[in-house]
Amino acid sequence: MKLHQLRYLVAVVQQGLNITAAAGVLHTSQPGVSKQIKLLEDELGFQVFKREGRNITRLTTAGKEVFEHAVRAIEEVDNIRRLSA
């Protein structure tokens, strides 16, 4: 699991489950975000997002927990970075 995967997950949720919008705020490509989310799900062994076809419709129950932990992890990393400033 990589920090940028957690950042991508949080961005997708914050952008209303819109991967294209998340890619825009992350300054990366939509396929890159999709790939990293897929790699994260593969590593976790479960889906973080519920999908209908190619569209993300909501977080799964487990995905909600992962999202909450990801937000806290990113906040803590940001706090550590601020220590050096």
Side-chain angles (χ1 to χ4, degrees):
M1 177 178 328
K2 298 182 174 129
L3 183 59
H4 72 274
Q5 292 171 329
L6 298 179
R7 287 189 190 281
Y8 286 14
L9 165 68
V10 170
V12 169
V13 174
Q14 289 175 338
Q15 295 302 311
L17 305 180
N18 185 318
I19 293 176
T20 302
V25 300
L26 294 164
H27 306 290
T28 191
S29 68
Q30 178 272 325
V33 173
S34 294
K35 180 180 178 181
Q36 291 303 316
I37 296 293
K38 174 75 170 110
L39 289 171
L40 177 63
E41 289 178 325
D42 288 349
E43 182 175 344
L44 293 173
F46 57 83
Q47 287 190 330
V48 174
F49 294 109
K50 192 74 170 165
R51 295 169 176 83
E52 287 184 18
R54 296 180 62 138
N55 296 321
I56 292 175
T57 58
R58 64 181 173 84
L59 281 165
T60 62
T61 302
K64 289 177 187 175
E65 288 187 48
V66 172
F67 171 72
E68 291 169 7
H69 286 286
V71 168
R72 286 195 300 273
I74 291 166
E75 287 172 353
E76 287 302 319
V77 168
D78 290 344
N79 288 337
I80 292 168
R81 285 193 177 126
R82 278 192 283 281
L83 288 174
S84 68

